[in-house]
């Protein structure tokens, strides 16, 4: 998905709807679920997000939840945003939860990490998780993450069980960082 540098103002609230409240797991984001098909990686790029999201679980401005999926998010900004829910991240609510299928591999001599965040800016964001809260990602069980050129500014993160500036809760992962 190429956003062509468009700005999208979100106003999402699944908690207000009784049918959604009755569901134990209800991801919420511009892309509610993100899944790859036929081994292809999803790429989301050149997008600006603002507004709010209030979800029952796995809440993020861009992606609510992704499981065993390869993806690359690049050149995305989240500004003046408020996110609330069980597992909440400013950008992604939950990734690879219950799965150990995200791996780093070599593709034509190039190392590819199946979960990549590149050139991400999060500014003036408030994240409130009733379990986990993260400035970038709420809850993750991905086995390989690559985070590069990510900047968080003026961001407040809270979580009842786990809270982190970048990631609220992380399990089963080898993370790489580059300048």
């Amino acid at each position: 998905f190429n956003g062509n540098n468009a700005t999208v103002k979100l106003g999402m609230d699944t908690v207000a709807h009784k049918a959604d409240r009755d569901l134990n797991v209800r991801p919420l984001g511009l892309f509610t679920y993100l899944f790859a098909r036929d081994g292809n990686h999803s790429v989301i790029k050149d997008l600006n997000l603002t507004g709010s999201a209030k979800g029952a679980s796995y809440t993020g401005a861009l992606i609510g939840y992704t499981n065993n999926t390869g993806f690359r998010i690049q050149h995305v900004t989240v500004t003046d945003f408020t996110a609330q829910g069980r597992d909440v991240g400013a950008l992604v609510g939950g990734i690879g939860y219950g799965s150990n299928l995200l791996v780093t591999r070599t593709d034509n001599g190039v190392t590819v990490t199946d979960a990549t965040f590149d050139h991400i800016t999060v500014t003036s964001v408030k994240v409130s998780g009733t379990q986990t809260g993260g400035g970038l990602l709420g809850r993750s069980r991905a086995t390989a993450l690559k985070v590069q050129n990510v900047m968080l500014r003026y961001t407040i993160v809270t979580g009842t069980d786990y809270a982190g500036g970048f990631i609220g809760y992380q399990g089963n992962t080898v993370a790489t960082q580059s300048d």
Side-chain angles (χ1 to χ4, degrees):
F1 175 82
N2 185 342
N4 293 313
N5 292 312
T7 298
V8 178
K9 182 169 182 164
L10 302 169
M12 303 178 291
D13 185 349
T14 60
V15 178
H17 304 285
K18 183 181 180 340
D20 292 332
R21 278 196 317 266
D22 292 342
L23 297 173
N24 189 23
V25 176
R26 181 70 177 176
L28 179 66
L30 181 62
F31 297 94
T32 302
Y33 294 98
L34 184 66
F35 292 98
R37 297 189 70 147
D38 304 322
N40 294 321
H41 279 65
S42 299
V43 176
I44 300 172
K45 65 181 184 175
D46 301 329
L47 188 61
N48 305 295
L49 302 168
T50 186
S52 65
K54 186 175 183 182
S57 64
Y58 302 117
T59 302
L62 186 63
I63 300 169
Y65 176 84
T66 180
N67 192 9
N68 69 5
T69 283
F71 68 84
R72 181 177 183 87
I73 300 170
Q74 58 191 37
H75 300 281
V76 173
T77 64
V78 180
T79 307
D80 297 322
F81 195 81
T82 302
Q84 297 175 307
R86 188 180 74 198
D87 297 303
V88 183
L91 195 66
V92 178
I95 174 178
Y97 187 72
S99 171
N100 292 325
L101 300 176
L102 293 176
V103 297
T104 299
R105 67 190 191 314
T106 301
D107 188 6
N108 293 326
V110 177
T111 300
V112 177
T113 303
D114 279 342
T116 300
F117 297 92
D118 185 17
H119 287 90
I120 308 297
T121 302
V122 176
T123 306
S124 300
V125 172
K126 183 177 181 185
V127 174
S128 302
T130 57
Q131 284 188 2
T132 65
L136 183 68
L137 172 61
R139 178 180 290 266
S140 176
R141 292 227 189 245
T143 56
L145 290 174
K146 184 173 185 180
V147 178
Q148 60 188 20
N149 303 307
V150 174
M151 181 180 1
L152 278 73
R153 300 182 303 195
Y154 314 112
T155 298
I156 299 170
V157 178
T158 60
T160 309
D161 296 338
Y162 303 97
F166 277 105
I167 301 172
Y169 174 85
Q170 179 61 57
N172 305 330
T173 295
V174 175
T176 62
Q177 175 185 348
S178 63
D179 297 326

